Amino acid sequence: MPNLAVSLSVPPEDSYDPGTVGTAERAIARMFIAAPVRIAGLLEEAGRHAAEKTRDGLVGSVRHALDMVNTEYVHRRPDDPVTTSEEAAVSDAAFAFLLARTDESWGHEVTFSAAEAIERMGDGRGGTLARRLDPILGAFVTLTRHRLTEQKSVLTSAAAPDPFAGLEAYARKNSLYQSARRLLSAVESASSTDPLAVCKTITALITSERDNDLGIEVVYPLLATLGEVGRRHGDQPGVLQAILPTLHTYLVDTEPGLRAAALKAWTTIGGTHALPSTVADLLQALVSDGYVVMINAVLKAACRLPWPDQESRIWLALHAKSVMEGINVSEHLNTSKCSLPVRTVRPKSGRLLRFTSGNCSTAGSIARWVPGR
């Protein structure tokens, strides 16, 4: 067996093109297909003391092995395997290998590559990931918590501080954040097979937040994922019923970030599916929320949700007017932009003329006329 770490030809960074996979990488992918468990162990051994670029190439080999056993893969070559008998074994070994790489032990760039490969496993094959929800969500939680910990060297250096240390730390955190997002994207793909099971698994994890102290950094994106799954599959039996109680709970949470996340998720679903009047019933409290994240969420909800009752539209119009008059545009430009579509204009008659709903990108779309004062 050749030295995998030495012989691997690694493609250039961020250039994963299935049509230009290196010869060594294809060879390793073929070996992986022939003996997935054994080769996975050899890859781990090869990468243990290898450079990060070589480790990234090892992950790329596993990703390519998954593509080679996928008969629907658009970049298949004539000499690629033509049967799917190996696919289950390859998928199991590949998933275990990739999931183990999401702990940053091989570097944050490899962590991203591994998370992206897991995400790709759900492309058109959501069932591949449907039975792996628990380990994926567990990796997401662990990775998110790991991202929030500051890496400290055990060595004391007498050299001058590295002027690029701040940029490197930011790059690491951003890479790990994007890796976590890829894992949740894989969860969204898994929902194509059984959306109700996915919703129940996520809501159970969120419900455990207060007992396990998951924190806002974990719960916030989970609420967003619920919103996306609801948008995609809200017409399936039981899906909205599984999601909405959790969103309602966080609409009145003590943490403004989580209130905003719940409202955003509700808005994501409500733009496609009919929802109860919960948000309209809470509107007076929502427009009184002075946190910027909530102001933004309310203004976006004003643009995207249907508001059949006149009173709600008036509240939203007045709220937008108040925001525009009181906000510092230089500090909160996005909030200012979001308030424009919900602006108020006083007609000469001083009476309510009409309301129109529309898109956030069009100024004056929600409340074009409000009572004059």
Side-chain angles (χ1 to χ4, degrees):
M1 178 69 67
N3 187 326
L4 298 181
V6 173
S7 64
L8 182 65
S9 173
V10 184
E13 186 178 4
D14 71 2
S15 65
Y16 178 72
D17 182 350
T20 60
V21 176
T23 301
E25 194 167 339
R26 287 181 57 80
I28 294 174
R30 285 184 169 280
M31 289 189 288
F32 192 94
I33 294 171
V37 176
R38 179 171 177 239
I39 299 302
L42 290 174
L43 293 180
E44 289 194 19
E45 182 65 26
R48 187 166 299 168
H49 304 292
E52 189 166 3
K53 291 295 183 184
T54 300
R55 291 169 169 176
D56 201 47
L58 297 175
V59 170
S61 297
V62 175
R63 175 167 54 183
H64 190 59
L66 288 168
D67 290 335
M68 291 176 72
V69 296
N70 179 11
T71 56
E72 298 180 1
Y73 182 50
V74 296
H75 295 284
R76 288 186 60 81
R77 296 186 180 184
D79 59 341
D80 283 345
V82 294
T83 65
T84 58
S85 58
E86 306 96 338
E87 186 170 3
V90 172
S91 176
D92 289 342
F95 178 78
F97 174 82
L98 294 170
L99 196 71
R101 307 284 79 77
T102 62
D103 64 356
E104 206 190 0
S105 60
W106 282 14
H108 64 82
E109 292 182 1
V110 177
T111 292
F112 176 81
S113 296
E116 188 177 45
I118 292 173
E119 178 189 32
R120 281 171 53 87
M121 290 179 71
D123 290 349
R125 298 176 293 171
T128 302
L129 299 176
R131 56 190 175 87
R132 299 180 172 124
L133 283 178
D134 288 341
I136 293 175
L137 288 171
F140 160 75
V141 174
T142 302
L143 180 56
T144 301
R145 286 176 165 171
H146 178 66
R147 171 173 60 87
L148 300 176
T149 60
E150 183 179 354
Q151 286 189 323
K152 295 183 179 180
S153 175
V154 296
L155 301 176
T156 302
S157 175
D162 183 358
F164 298 106
L167 290 176
E168 292 175 356
Y170 174 81
R172 169 187 174 266
K173 286 192 174 183
N174 183 63
S175 178
L176 296 181
Y177 172 80
Q178 294 299 332
S179 300
R181 285 298 309 147
R182 295 303 188 276
L183 293 177
L184 289 186
S185 178
V187 172
E188 293 171 8
S189 297
S191 69
S192 62
T193 301
D194 190 348
L196 182 57
V198 171
C199 292
K200 288 182 176 179
T201 301
I202 296 175
T203 53
L205 177 58
I206 293 175
T207 300
S208 69
E209 185 269 337
R210 287 177 173 81
D211 294 333
N212 297 316
D213 192 27
L214 295 179
I216 184 174
E217 293 286 349
V218 171
V219 178
Y220 191 103
L222 288 175
L223 291 173
T225 301
L226 277 182
E228 182 60 26
V229 174
R231 182 191 68 81
R232 294 184 184 185
H233 308 292
D235 56 344
Q236 298 296 313
V239 169
L240 294 184
Q241 290 85 343
I243 294 174
L244 297 185
T246 297
L247 296 186
H248 181 271
T249 297
Y250 282 94
L251 281 173
V252 294
D253 194 82
T254 57
E255 169 58 52
L258 295 181
R259 293 199 299 273
L263 182 55
K264 289 178 181 178
W266 193 285
T267 302
T268 298
I269 299 172
T272 305
H273 306 284
L275 297 179
S277 61
T278 302
V279 171
D281 296 340
L282 295 172
L283 189 56
Q284 292 189 32
L286 294 176
V287 299
S288 300
D289 201 316
Y291 288 92
V292 173
V293 288
M294 275 301 295
I295 292 173
N296 291 336
V298 170
L299 292 174
K300 289 178 181 179
C303 295
R304 298 173 184 173
L305 292 178
W307 301 95
D309 63 295
Q310 181 172 292
E311 182 179 1
S312 294
R313 296 196 294 268
I314 294 175
W315 273 102
L316 290 168
L318 294 176
H319 177 58
K321 182 175 185 292
S322 175
V323 171
M324 291 182 68
E325 291 175 346
I327 199 168
N328 184 326
V329 177
S330 63
E331 295 181 2
H332 303 289
L333 181 59
N334 289 335
T335 302
S336 178
K337 288 180 178 179
C338 223
S339 65
L340 287 176
V342 202
R343 66 178 182 172
T344 63
V345 178
R346 186 177 67 180
K348 293 181 180 179
S349 63
R351 61 188 177 84
L352 182 68
L353 296 180
R354 66 191 177 99
F355 285 90
T356 61
S357 60
N359 190 288
C360 266
S361 63
T362 305
S365 61
I366 287 291
R368 193 171 297 278
W369 307 112
V370 298
R373 291 188 290 174

